[in-house]
Amino acid sequence: MKKLLVSPSPHIHGKDNTKSLMRDVVIALLPTVAVSIYCFGLSALKLALVGVLACVAVEYVIAKFMLKTKVTICDYSAVITGLLLALNVPINTPWWVVVIGSIVAIGVAKMTFGGLGQNLFNPALVGRVFLLISFPVIMTDWSTPESTFGFAFDGVSGATPLGIVKEGLAQGMTLSQIYAEHNFSYAQMLFTRIGSAGEISAIALLLGFVYLLVRRVIRPHITLSIWGTVFVFSGILWLCNPEQFTDPIFNLLTGGMLLGSIFMATDYVTSPMEPKGMVIFGIGIGIITILIREFGAYPEGISFAILIMNATVPLINMFCKPKRFGKEAK
Amino acid sequence: MSTTIIFTVASLSVLGLLLAVVLYFVAQKFKVEEDPRIDIVEAIMPGANCGGCGQAGCRAFAEACTKADNLDSLFCPVGGNATMKKVADALGFEVAEKAPMVAVVRCNGTCENRPKTNVYDGAVSCAVKAALYSGDTGCKYGCVGCGDCVKACNFGALSMDPATGLPVVDEEKCAACGACVKACPKAVIELRNKGPKGRRVFVSCVSQDKGAVARKACKAACIGCGKCAKVCPFEAIKVENNVAYIDFNKCKLCTKCVAECPTGAIHKVNFPVKPAAPAAPAAPAAEKPAENNNNQEK
Amino acid sequence: MKTFSIGGVHPHDSKISANAAIESFPIPEVAYISMGQHLGAPAEPIVAPGDKVKVGQLIANANGFISAPVHSSVSGTVKGIEIIKDLAGNPCKAVVIEVEGDEWVETIDRSEEIAREIKLDSKEIIEKIKECGVVGLGGATFPTNVKLSPPPGKKAEFLIINGAECEPYLTSDYRVLLEMPEQVLIGAAIMMKALNVTQGFVGIEENKPEAIRIMTEKAKAYPQIKIVSLKKKYPQGGEKQLIDAVVGRKVPSMGLPIDTGAVVQNVGTALAVYEAVQKNKPLFEGIMTITGECCPQQKNYKHRVGTPLSKMIESVGGVPEAAAKAISGGPMMGKAIANLDAPTLKGSSSVLFLTEEQTKRQPESNCIRCGKCIEACPMGLEPYLLNKLAKAGRMDDLEAGKIYDCIECGCCLYTCPAYIPLLDNIRLAKANVMKIMRSRPKK
């Protein structure tokens, strides 16, 4: 007779697993990748491929030959890290710089902690910040590649809106002067502007956000609280001095704000697990981002903000407990 | 410039001196009186902090030793007699030698002897499995084979044998701390006298099922027939709840019971291979261990 | 639409046996009536081998306050009092009866007529329920009479009949609601009288519109009983969740339902109470679903307690070829059957066959800290943390994490994308923590 299985309950399992969740994140990133290819041509595709392949290869080598554990490259987590890293660097970044970023991202930020689920900091961001500090020139060269097909950019080149604003303010210009000189408009910010591949289209990123929410891959708390904090905090500053501080909409749509708040801050492993904690985490990121943008030396601060808040996640998880059932009675 | 440096150095030195004085008096006031012998004894301990002595760790054991009137109830199974001798010397006690112990797995339920009746699919944990049901074989008393004892062992002395599905004790490494005994939900593992030259005889079964039931579930089960108890010249064997048990303090290792046992449930280990009783039904299995480096006869 | 406030999951419905009307299962040749059919101390047999028994005759007395008597489900000769194996393979005591004919005790009213008038008073009702060995049929098999007698100082305010049947596949309660709606309502009315309360609710999940329609129709004659339709969500049928869903009160941590003034009884229990009080029929029959996609026939059987499961499985053509696991109960909280020869019990609700694809556990991988277990836990616990603490053996922290509040619903394991056996470890740690808590001197 056939031997039956015996196990404790439950005997069925939901359809989600690590692989399917990670795959959904990759799918949510595809519109952004598509737009970047449309705008920047094959060099965007090349960057994405280099990032993904390098991350997967690094993870495979480390897991197989150094840690000698089960190889987990099939769970798409390294693919996400590679994609995010590629979307985070300027389009003209040489391929070997991306490979170095991948080695740092996977090798240092992920595998040294014990692989998937164990890392404290978001690997892609660690890779990006490492590159930003190590190769400042390459990492801030926003000129468009020559092989661009599709359409050309109008007006600005060589610097992102955030960079232009920072530089202009440093030269003693007022914001209205800067805006007038560079012909900024919100419509332009929603789609196609200068920046890394992952920053150019707000619409594609929002599409990914909606997909993640519909598939219940992430909960909206972190992203929305970042947006809310950025809006309120920069709004207060803007009301205090509209010539010195950029307005809230500008802050929400420029730089890596959307990419960071939708895809990086919501990374399962490095974000809090409970709604209250998620909100605190998001508020922290929002405040630090605006502080860096408005008062710091760098034009963009969300990468640093997320990394700083990553460090607080264990603490947040310890203090933010879910609402227990039936706590209030007696 | 130079005045700044001098001033800084001077002020810091004065501050340091002041704080040192304060610290000295505070340390005097809140001094914890501790028997200095605790440190001495702790230095003798193996430092495994395994808890095999029944204390929280090596320091707790050292403390207990210094407070005790004699060392009769205190024994470090890891360090054994040598360590206890040193402890006794350090504290000025007399200590009686204790026979060294070793963990013994009392189950014959190899995949061959004990056919599976279902397939367990839950968390790999003996405790979880044992709490869930009677197990994936017909025997509810034997080893459930998820390796909780292996995880519990601090000395790497236990390993699962994939061929038999049972844990194997490495006698060299086993410190007889008893962690595996506590971890085993079925009480299959027991600490027994290591015996002269490591020779010992034990009933490798804990099944309390009645003979026929036990035998149906496992070919090498103790069926509680009592033949071993009758043949034992030293009254070392007792049969209770359908299972025989050999008192290792009474057993003189004559191995008559091994030959008598109809199912081969009684094992002898570390005996020279040659005189293995030819009449014993367990004989075919008894030849195997010679080349096995775990030198346990089955 | 009402539902409980925290957590929960949405497993696929799979009520494929919903349209199979209840059939009587043939009486077996030999019945194995277990003495441990309820929560608490096993019953004490009062028959001896060779005794002749009738259907409904008392064969074992309750053994303590939390215990229940057991009645014979068949007529015939007692063959012996034997140790048999239950469905987990553990030994248990059972009265084995060789069946001869089908002769019932005369006092049982076997007419089909519905007895609407409740003649007994509160005390007599509870006594009757106790005598008839009625236990909760929602899974825990807690003696019903104990539940209907609130401890001193506690006052029941309302009765909730649990018709949620939130577990996938199970349809026995649904069939009872469809085929015997009035009996259930009378049973509810009887228990309300016993509890001396004037408010009753029947909570039914919205995926059973037909049951809601029929019950609403019949409940017109019982103005004190309200039919509440609930949003479909597991574990709605958990006592604490159901009270939250129906009346919005939350049972305090470590508390009992009665602390909110609620008494919850299952649909099957209401029917058993009706039969016991109005028809003088002890609990010796039950409704069981035999189902599963791989099962060629879907059945809802009325069975005599003590029928070997294997007999019932044979009636649908034996264990299906594709089946990898047989489960007694639902797929979320049911027990996997290790011994198919085990007899049915009062509380048996189903035999469910799942294929390997449906039920085989995937290999465990690293926790990715997604927080889905926290989102799913209906008690607001942190299963990932409890699992880690359990593995580290940190009993104090487990207690601080309220592991004792776990209702073992399985939502955490169901939802875990890394297939970590969260509940397996938590269940064991919970038992250990509760043992420590009980061993403490009471303040």
Side-chain angles (χ1 to χ4, degrees), chain A residues 2-330:
Chain A
K2 198 167 91 180
K3 286 172 201 142
L4 291 174
L5 294 173
V6 176
S7 77
S9 65
H11 306 287
I12 50 174
H13 192 277
K15 60 183 185 336
D16 285 343
N17 55 49
T18 304
K19 196 171 163 179
S20 74
L21 291 173
M22 298 287 177
R23 193 172 47 216
D24 275 343
V25 177
V26 174
I27 291 171
L29 278 170
L30 287 183
T32 307
V33 175
V35 169
S36 75
I37 293 172
Y38 177 67
C39 293
F40 296 139
L42 291 177
S43 45
L45 184 66
K46 190 186 84 187
L47 268 190
L49 282 179
V50 168
V52 169
L53 287 178
C55 281
V56 171
V58 171
E59 176 155 338
Y60 178 82
V61 168
I62 292 179
K64 178 101 184 177
F65 299 108
M66 291 168 76
L67 298 176
K68 299 197 167 56
T69 53
K70 210 171 65 191
V71 179
T72 51
I73 52 167
C74 294
D75 63 19
Y76 287 94
S77 61
V79 175
I80 295 176
T81 305
L83 261 187
L84 284 176
L85 186 66
L87 291 176
N88 254 307
V89 296
I91 194 70
N92 284 334
T93 313
W95 65 270
W96 52 270
V97 172
V98 178
V99 171
I100 292 175
S102 304
I103 293 171
V104 173
I106 298 289
V108 176
K110 185 175 171 190
M111 299 312 280
T112 42
F113 289 88
L116 179 65
Q118 312 282 332
N119 49 303
L120 187 58
F121 298 101
N122 186 320
L125 277 180
V126 172
R128 176 185 185 243
V129 168
F130 177 82
L131 295 181
L132 182 65
I133 295 168
S134 313
F135 306 98
V137 178
I138 294 173
M139 288 296 288
T140 49
D141 170 21
W142 300 108
S143 55
T144 49
E146 293 185 359
S147 63
T148 304
F149 60 87
F151 55 94
F153 289 91
D154 48 348
V156 287
S157 72
T160 59
L162 281 171
I164 293 166
V165 167
K166 193 112 228 170
E167 210 166 292
L169 287 172
Q171 286 164 4
M173 290 160 81
T174 62
L175 276 179
S176 44
Q177 284 170 327
I178 301 168
Y179 283 13
E181 186 174 319
H182 290 278
N183 209 4
F184 283 164
S185 75
Y186 291 139
Q188 188 192 350
M189 287 170 197
L190 270 178
F191 185 68
T192 66
R193 54 192 165 72
I194 297 294
S196 70
E199 297 174 1
I200 50 171
S201 172
I203 291 170
L205 290 166
L206 290 172
L207 208 65
F209 183 49
V210 171
Y211 178 79
L212 291 180
L213 288 183
V214 168
R215 298 278 296 167
R216 299 180 71 87
V217 175
I218 59 168
R219 299 172 93 175
H221 301 64
I222 295 177
T223 311
L224 293 186
S225 61
I226 293 177
W227 293 352
T229 312
V230 165
F231 191 85
V232 171
F233 188 38
S234 66
I236 292 169
L237 291 175
W238 179 64
L239 287 177
C240 291
N241 186 354
E243 288 301 321
Q244 182 69 38
F245 300 112
T246 46
D247 63 275
I249 310 277
F250 177 89
N251 270 313
L252 277 180
L253 293 178
T254 50
M257 176 53 72
L258 290 177
L259 184 68
S261 61
I262 295 170
F263 289 99
M264 318 271 246
T266 56
D267 169 33
Y268 285 147
V269 180
T270 55
S271 66
M273 300 170 67
E274 189 275 333
K276 277 192 296 272
M278 291 179 180
V279 172
I280 294 172
F281 181 72
I283 291 173
I285 291 174
I287 290 176
I288 298 173
T289 307
I290 295 301
L291 283 178
I292 295 177
R293 279 187 179 184
E294 304 288 13
F295 304 105
Y298 281 96
E300 171 58 310
I302 189 150
S303 308
F304 292 103
I306 294 174
L307 285 176
I308 290 169
M309 290 309 288
N310 280 166
T312 67
V313 167
L315 213 59
I316 293 175
N317 274 340
M318 194 187 279
F319 284 104
C320 291
K321 296 292 172 192
K323 185 167 169 258
R324 312 283 194 206
F325 183 93
K327 197 184 184 179
E328 64 269 34
K330 278 191 262 189

Side-chain angles (χ1 to χ4, degrees), chain C residues 152-322:
Chain C
K154 302 273 165 68
K155 171 81 185 80
E157 290 169 52
F158 39 78
L159 174 80
I160 300 175
I161 299 294
N162 181 359
E165 205 161 49
C166 57
E167 283 252 19
Y169 293 99
L170 304 193
T171 55
S172 52
D173 286 355
Y174 173 67
R175 288 315 303 184
V176 169
L177 286 175
L178 286 192
E179 296 180 30
M180 290 168 269
E182 204 160 359
Q183 287 90 323
V184 171
L185 288 167
I186 297 168
I190 292 168
M191 286 191 276
M192 283 161 66
K193 189 172 179 187
L195 286 164
N196 196 17
V197 299
T198 52
Q199 252 187 312
F201 300 94
V202 182
I204 306 173
E205 280 195 350
E206 60 179 340
N207 60 346
K208 296 179 264 293
E210 190 61 15
I212 296 175
R213 192 186 61 75
I214 291 182
M215 287 300 281
T216 315
E217 182 69 31
K218 295 282 180 192
K220 282 180 186 152
Y222 302 87
Q224 295 181 328
I225 301 174
K226 249 177 44 199
I227 310 299
V228 185
S229 114
L230 304 167
K231 205 172 138 190
K232 180 180 135 23
K233 188 159 82 168
Y234 178 86
Q236 193 106 254
E239 232 175 15
K240 295 177 178 180
Q241 277 64 36
L242 191 68
I243 297 170
D244 184 17
V246 173
V247 294
R249 295 192 192 177
K250 290 191 174 63
V251 179
S253 176
M254 301 278 284
L256 294 170
I258 192 72
D259 293 330
T260 63
V263 172
V264 180
Q265 296 287 359
N266 182 262
V267 165
T269 318
L271 179 66
V273 164
Y274 162 81
E275 289 183 336
V277 177
Q278 303 295 78
K279 299 279 185 178
N280 206 15
K281 180 186 160 200
L283 181 56
F284 58 76
E285 283 185 319
I287 314 288
M288 262 178 92
T289 306
I290 298 191
T291 185
E293 276 92 354
C294 55
C295 195
Q297 293 177 60
Q298 314 294 324
K299 294 281 186 188
N300 288 298
Y301 278 132
K302 185 180 217 176
H303 67 94
R304 299 286 173 92
V305 166
T307 308
L309 288 175
S310 48
K311 288 259 174 222
M312 304 187 77
I313 296 166
E314 270 166 35
S315 76
V316 294
V319 177
E321 193 61 26

Side-chain angles (χ1 to χ4, degrees), chain B:
Chain B
M1 186 68 190
S2 62
T3 40
T4 322
I5 292 172
I6 291 167
F7 191 74
T8 315
V9 169
S11 62
L12 280 176
S13 305
V14 171
L15 196 68
L17 212 68
L18 270 175
L19 289 175
V21 171
V22 172
L23 273 177
Y24 174 76
F25 282 106
V26 171
Q28 284 298 313
K29 183 147 174 62
F30 294 102
K31 196 172 175 183
V32 180
E33 285 297 336
E34 210 172 34
D35 196 332
R37 295 179 304 168
I38 295 177
D39 288 327
I40 300 169
V41 176
E42 196 191 358
I44 301 168
M45 304 309 302
N49 284 320
C50 64
C53 52
Q55 305 288 338
C58 289
R59 185 163 184 90
F61 180 78
E63 206 174 330
C65 284
T66 53
K67 281 187 190 146
D69 297 329
N70 59 57
L71 293 180
D72 292 350
S73 58
L74 290 160
F75 187 75
C76 172
V78 179
N81 288 321
T83 299
M84 289 316 290
K85 182 84 178 40
K86 281 190 210 154
V87 173
D89 289 346
L91 298 175
F93 287 130
E94 287 291 314
V95 65
E97 287 240 331
K98 276 193 185 160
M101 310 279 271
V102 69
V104 171
V105 180
R106 295 178 298 165
C107 181
N108 276 328
T110 57
C111 308
E112 201 177 306
N113 285 338
R114 190 173 57 152
K116 295 249 186 289
T117 54
N118 59 65
V119 181
Y120 177 66
D121 190 33
V124 185
S125 154
C126 300
V128 169
K129 189 173 170 184
L132 176 69
Y133 73 131
S134 62
D136 50 7
T137 66
C139 172
K140 73 173 287 245
Y141 297 97
C143 174
V144 293
C146 289
D148 276 10
C149 50
V150 177
K151 279 174 236 159
C153 186
N154 276 328
F155 302 93
L158 278 155
S159 58
M160 294 303 289
D161 183 342
T164 60
L166 296 172
V168 180
V169 182
D170 182 337
E171 287 178 33
E172 298 293 310
K173 289 184 186 161
C174 177
C177 67
C180 51
V181 177
K182 277 187 215 136
C184 181
K186 297 286 189 187
V188 164
I189 305 182
E190 185 198 15
L191 291 183
R192 292 181 71 90
N193 260 355
K194 211 164 188 172
K197 293 186 194 162
R199 291 178 189 178
R200 55 187 178 274
V201 176
F202 62 96
V203 181
S204 183
C205 182
V206 290
S207 170
Q208 295 178 17
D209 279 328
K210 287 200 177 113
V213 181
R215 185 123 195 203
K216 195 182 160 208
C218 176
K219 276 185 230 157
C222 170
I223 51 172
C225 63
K227 280 184 179 170
C228 50
K230 273 183 213 128
V231 81
C232 181
F234 310 104
E235 295 184 346
I237 305 181
K238 251 193 283 182
V239 180
E240 262 176 8
N241 298 324
N242 299 316
V243 61
Y245 178 78
I246 302 178
D247 184 340
F248 50 80
N249 290 319
K250 290 182 186 163
C251 176
K252 300 276 191 284
L253 304 176
C254 70
T255 72
K256 278 186 184 158
C257 51
V258 180
E260 194 67 22
C261 181
T263 58
I266 304 181
H267 288 183
K268 54 174 189 174
V269 290
N270 295 337
F271 282 82
V273 179
K274 199 175 51 146
E287 279 149 16
K288 214 173 6 175
E291 62 264 21
N292 248 354
N293 47 9
N294 67 30
N295 63 15
Q296 180 155 341
E297 286 188 21
K298 290 209 171 121

